[in-house]
Amino acid sequence: MKGVADKGEVQEGPPFDVAWRTIDGLKVRYATGGSGGERILLFSPWPESIFAFAPVWHGLTKQFEVLAIDLPGFGQSEGRDDLFTPQTMGTFIAKAIDAFGLTSIHAIGLDVGAPSLLFASLSRPELFRSLIVGAGAATYPLGVEGTLKWMIEADPLPPLNAREVVEGFLGSFHGYTAPQFVREDYLASYEGDRLTRSAALVRAYPKDLAALAPRLTSITLPVAIVVGRNDPYGLARDAAVLRERLPNARLDVLEAGHCVWEERAPEFESIVTHWVSGAFSGTQSSG
């Protein structure tokens, strides 16, 4: 597999080739891999991109058919201001799934992808077999902390220095150093005003998550929640609340900060593999 060593260590280049597709009038970046088994759809975290999945790409594509998408305005996909809310991004997610002709998928929404994917599952539940979410605020009242709380509450939000924010974010990883090609992609993804514009999605959390709260009990799909115990944005607590409010969910708390998919890639890959291979249906429940 391109760019990946035998033990899954990320080398000097990405483990996939990227491609582009126009969806809802926007040029969207994606990558595909694998050729059989269950189908997994990954959505980019923030302020990252689909390159966040480089550490787990080899392991997942050995077993499953995988598609990763940079959400509009995130990574290197074109953005549009009307999509920077969890609810409208959820509508786009459904359109993207239709554009690729997919049904019955296991969708993974992390960080900003978490509440957006929950909204998508409410509007189009038939598209999904299960959901994996985490490291993104999904409950109300909000209990977020740190920089995320400031970005949501600042009035007005000043222009963000993308390089400073992304470099600081990369420096916060525990036990993982992003390869240079990943760092470069994250920095390129939010240059200019893209970081400030995309922050509108988290600033929409109070309104949209208040609307989502009474509907969580309507999400009957199996949902796996994965979060870092030491998430600096208060999202471990959010994940515990979400687990209690969803009727068919499980929660895994890893010894990590925010980016469990990178900081604890082997454990994250194992959780996804176990879940998609059958645990989502209850046939291999691990508690």
Side-chain angles (χ1 to χ4, degrees), residues 87 91 115 118-125 138 208-221 242 245-247:
Q87 190 159 4
T91 300
L118 293 172
F119 271 112
S121 74
L122 283 166
S123 64
R124 298 285 304 279
D208 275 29
L209 296 187
L212 177 64
R215 303 179 67 190
L216 288 174
T217 55
S218 301
I219 300 175
T220 57
L221 287 163
L242 181 63
R245 294 182 180 176
L246 290 171

Side-chain angles (χ1 to χ4, degrees), residues 84-279:
F84 289 136
T85 75
Q87 190 159 4
T88 56
M89 192 64 77
T91 300
F92 176 87
I93 285 173
K95 291 179 179 180
I97 294 170
D98 287 339
F100 282 94
L102 300 176
T103 57
S104 191
I105 60 170
H106 301 277
I108 302 179
L110 305 166
D111 195 85
V112 293
S116 302
L117 184 55
L118 293 172
F119 271 112
S121 74
L122 283 166
S123 64
R124 298 285 304 279
E126 76 280 3
L127 296 175
F128 306 97
R129 293 199 78 185
S130 77
L131 311 179
I132 300 176
V133 298
T139 66
Y140 189 86
L142 285 174
V144 298
E145 300 173 0
T147 303
L148 178 59
K149 178 179 173 66
W150 173 78
M151 284 189 175
I152 292 171
E153 297 180 352
D155 185 21
L157 180 69
L160 300 173
N161 183 317
R163 177 166 291 274
E164 180 179 297
V165 172
V166 174
E167 288 282 11
F169 184 79
L170 287 163
S172 72
F173 289 171
H174 297 271
Y176 173 74
T177 300
Q180 189 60 31
F181 76 87
V182 172
R183 301 176 72 89
E184 291 174 355
D185 190 74
Y186 293 174
L187 289 167
S189 293
Y190 298 99
E191 62 185 1
D193 67 347
R194 281 178 60 87
L195 184 66
T196 304
R197 288 183 64 199
S198 58
L201 194 144
V202 300
R203 289 173 64 78
Y205 278 179
K207 179 180 178 181
D208 275 29
L209 296 187
L212 177 64
R215 303 179 67 190
L216 288 174
T217 55
S218 301
I219 300 175
T220 57
L221 287 163
V223 181
I225 307 164
V226 188
V227 70
R229 188 181 308 278
N230 302 311
D231 190 296
Y233 311 120
L235 297 174
R237 181 173 58 251
D238 180 89
V241 174
L242 181 63
R243 165 65 184 85
E244 293 301 315
R245 294 182 180 176
L246 290 171
N248 189 14
R250 60 164 290 163
L251 171 63
D252 285 284
V253 182
L254 304 184
E255 295 299 329
H258 181 66
C259 298
V260 294
W261 49 94
E262 289 165 300
E263 296 176 28
R264 291 292 181 267
E267 294 96 324
F268 180 76
E269 181 184 316
S270 177
I271 289 168
V272 172
T273 298
H274 182 62
W275 177 261
V276 174
S277 296

